């Protein structure tokens, strides 16, 4: 608390000095970041690519920045939020599906056996999503997702998931957009679930959200056009799918990308293949007190040793949540 | 010529008057459009949805405008440009495929039998695209498309296809963007072929282009990441596919949409399903002298009688190229 007061006093003195002939420093664009090297690397990179005449100058239309969502922009522990939503949907409609009591992966959901559920991997997730994200219109699905986001609470923080976005990353998104970047989400999560909150939480419109998606079918119902969600997968946006998704949806190679796990490796490699300057970053969850600490051994958001070695060897920025972020969440919980 | 000189003189007088106390009228936002009702309808619509306090006001983030490409933003006769590109690609690589001499639809391409070729419909087009748009990297494909666009010439106008965009529609795109709209292309054409020119021609970045697409595969080649184009279709963006594509790629319902043929009907119906004010338009090719005149009987850009009746019954704007446009092409050919 004393530290905070000194900061305020110091800021006031700087403010007074600014009234005189000495020019005030521009305000800190990333105030929730501690003054550590990775913050300076980001600011230096943005200055280099936006300064006309610089060898690394990049025209605004080529300033594409892509961000993973779960674990990069908001909390993903103890389970990916989109997965919690799927589990709640399975439970909500299970009375219409008595066969789920004995059929996996539904049985594990109903038994509350998360470890077993995660062991079914991508195939299990796709089966659950197919069963719970289809058979309704896109408008109905959006209502279901929006209502869930209003009422669901995180088991540890007892807050809506939309409060559990990372404040330093929201600042980074704003900072990049203020410097002519276009910001995108490229996530393994369901595209329509994300679009229910990305504009409100991140200022990112739905057409700048890339995610996993199912097919839809256009039908005329009572002379009104409707899009019905089908159980068939259209696109799976994780791992190599992230580089493919960037091509399909965005159509331009990023020069800035941030992830936090093994599923983001190909997105960062694709970004690192840029012709000029580019920045690749990874959020490292090492703050058990304020959030979570996990890495190679985690089922969720796995950050293997090989990825850390690759990041170090290639100069990718690794953000320590513990050391590099003064604040974690957007809802403004006081730092301990 | 005399008319033009009078216009200049009149404009000069208006300019002089503006120096005095009388306020000058704002410049015409659509100068290549004649002063006919459809132009006024567009201007009135834009005023209604952008005026705060108006009953029809729409927030900027919801001002989504979608445009078909072939026949709506640029020429599509005698054949869709993307189809001409495919035909040229078949010919360019046919020496590697001796079997094409007897195998349809390739045989019709090599025989120059366009009528027979078009009779194979969507299935034929998909087969040709699969054979010619795969087996190379996305970077190589972009080079092939860009080079073709530089060298190919339209058979009648003897100009690059990128000169044959419609000036009134380019003005309309600019006018909408100037009023806070986000403009998208939603076309049956190949997404990567379009992205090779849409930013330069229309000011539309690649992530605001929705089109038909093939699958890609991420591969590491000599430690460099590469996206290889596969022959499998990912998404076919025509007819009902346009409404589905708007949902997949854009994720928000348009309030403004323009097409020119039967393949745009579902996009316009989906737009017409808006909650507040919306505008649906169709370009009608009725100007054989300056461009082409075609409709119900055309294989390319079919505009059936039923669509015209539907447009009239529902108050959709039908643009007569002959009567409503003072200029047709962006390259500035003088009006006759």
């Amino acid at each position: 608390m004393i530290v905070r007061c000194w900061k305020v006093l110091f800021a006031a003195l700087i403010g007074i000095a600014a009234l005189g002939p000495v020019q005030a420093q521009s305000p800190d664009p990333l105030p929730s970041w501690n003054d550590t090297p990775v913050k300076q690397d980001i600011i230096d990179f943005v200055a280099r690519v936006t300064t006309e005449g610089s060898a690394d100058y990049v025209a605004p239309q080529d300033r594409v920045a892509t961000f993973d969502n779960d674990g990069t922009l908001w909390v993903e522990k103890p389970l990916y939020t989109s997965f919690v939503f799927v589990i709640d949907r399975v439970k909500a409609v299970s009375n219409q599906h008595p066969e789920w009591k004995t059929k996996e992966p539904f049985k594990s959901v109903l038994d509350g056996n998360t470890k077993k559920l995660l062991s079914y991997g991508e195939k299990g997730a796709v089966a659950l999503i197919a069963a719970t994200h289809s058979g309704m219109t896109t408008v109905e699905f959006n209502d279901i997702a929006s209502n869930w986001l209003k009422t669901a609470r995180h088991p540890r923080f007892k807050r809506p998931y939309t409060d559990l976005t990372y404040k330093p990353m929201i600042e980074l998104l704003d900072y990049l957009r203020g410097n002519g970047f276009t910001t995108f989400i490229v996530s393994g999560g369901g595209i329509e679930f994300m679009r229910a909150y990305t504009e409100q939480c991140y200022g990112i419109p739905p057409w700048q959200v890339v995610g996993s998606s199912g097919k839809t079918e256009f039908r005329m119902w009572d002379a009104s056009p409707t899009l019905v969600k089908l159980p068939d997968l259209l696109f799976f946006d994780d791992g190599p799918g992230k580089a493919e998704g960037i091509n399909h949806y965005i159509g331009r190679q990023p020069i800035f990308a941030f992830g936090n796990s093994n599923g983001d490796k190909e997105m960062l490699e694709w970004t690192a293949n840029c012709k000029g300057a580019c920045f690749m970053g990874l959020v490292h969850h090492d703050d058990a007190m304020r959030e979570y600490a996990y890495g190679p051994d985690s089922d969720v958001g796995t950050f293997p040793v090989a990825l850390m070695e690759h990041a170090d060897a290639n100069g990718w920025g690794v953000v320590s949540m513990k050391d590099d972020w003064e604040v974690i969440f957007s809802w403004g919980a006081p730092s301990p």
Side-chain angles (χ1 to χ4, degrees), chain A:
Chain A
M1 205 55 183
I2 290 167
V3 172
R4 285 182 172 261
C5 289
W6 272 108
K7 275 189 187 167
V8 171
L9 185 61
F10 188 69
L13 286 170
I14 292 267
I16 291 161
L19 295 172
V22 179
Q23 183 107 34
Q25 259 195 298
S26 36
D28 183 349
L30 301 170
S32 299
W33 294 64
N34 291 322
D35 288 326
T36 50
V38 71
K39 172 178 176 171
Q40 199 54 51
D41 288 349
I42 291 170
I43 291 172
D44 289 348
F45 170 79
V46 170
R48 280 193 288 131
V49 298
T50 57
T51 305
E52 282 193 67
S54 149
D56 291 328
Y57 178 74
V58 175
Q61 67 268 26
D62 293 325
R63 293 180 204 156
V64 168
T66 57
F67 290 80
D68 168 57
N69 186 32
D70 297 306
T72 300
L73 297 180
W74 76 349
V75 72
E76 66 178 353
K77 276 276 193 181
L79 258 184
Y80 305 115
T81 307
S82 55
F83 216 65
V84 181
F85 170 68
V86 167
I87 287 172
D88 282 359
R89 289 308 302 159
V90 167
K91 290 176 185 166
V93 298
S94 62
N95 59 351
Q96 299 160 38
H97 297 273
E99 76 280 10
W100 285 355
K101 280 184 191 151
T102 52
K103 189 180 171 188
E104 291 290 6
F106 304 95
K107 185 179 181 305
S108 292
V109 173
L110 298 174
D111 294 348
N113 191 340
T114 309
K115 190 140 194 79
K116 193 167 178 192
L117 180 57
L118 286 170
S119 74
Y120 293 108
E122 178 186 330
K123 213 173 155 185
V126 168
L128 292 174
I129 290 168
T132 56
H133 286 48
S134 67
M136 71 282 282
T137 69
T138 51
V139 174
E140 286 165 350
F141 179 82
N142 184 59
D143 288 345
I144 293 169
S146 299
N147 286 332
W148 185 87
L149 286 161
K150 276 181 207 147
T151 53
R153 293 293 177 270
H154 188 276
R156 175 173 159 196
F157 298 107
K158 315 291 181 199
R159 293 215 157 237
Y161 288 89
T162 47
D163 278 359
L164 302 176
T165 57
Y166 303 137
K167 196 171 181 211
M169 296 305 277
I170 307 283
E171 287 172 3
L172 179 55
L173 290 169
D174 281 339
Y175 174 54
L176 291 171
R177 287 192 292 256
N179 281 281
F181 282 76
T182 308
T183 54
F184 296 86
I185 289 172
V186 179
S187 165
I191 199 166
E192 288 179 296
F193 178 69
M194 287 191 285
R195 284 170 171 171
Y197 62 88
T198 52
E199 193 154 44
Q200 172 206 335
C201 289
Y202 308 130
I204 294 182
W207 52 89
Q208 285 160 223
V209 177
V210 180
S212 299
S213 58
K215 294 184 182 175
T216 58
E217 188 176 275
F218 180 86
R219 290 181 199 162
M220 291 299 279
W221 276 354
D222 297 331
S224 281
T226 306
L227 286 172
V228 178
K229 287 174 67 63
L230 305 180
D232 312 304
L233 184 74
L234 177 72
F235 191 76
F236 188 69
D237 190 54
D238 199 35
K242 290 207 177 191
E244 295 158 11
I246 286 168
N247 182 63
H248 288 310
Y249 286 82
I250 305 176
R252 181 154 290 159
Q253 196 170 339
I255 64 164
F256 190 103
F258 242 100
N260 79 300
S261 76
N262 215 30
D264 302 313
K265 187 166 178 266
E266 286 84 356
M267 172 170 77
L268 299 187
E269 281 173 329
W270 184 238
T271 304
N273 196 35
C274 64
K275 283 179 191 157
C278 42
F279 185 96
M280 285 65 61
L282 284 161
V283 174
H284 187 215
H285 294 259
D286 58 358
D287 194 332
M289 196 159 62
R290 295 190 299 172
E291 203 237 13
Y292 294 96
Y294 55 96
D297 301 327
S298 177
D299 288 328
V300 166
T302 319
F303 193 142
V305 174
L307 180 61
M308 185 65 91
E309 288 171 355
H310 189 87
D312 288 343
N314 290 278
W316 296 0
V318 177
V319 173
S320 157
M321 290 177 79
K322 194 175 170 184
D323 298 333
D324 295 321
W325 287 357
E326 190 182 313
V327 181
I328 303 284
F329 293 121
S330 297
W331 56 282
S335 301

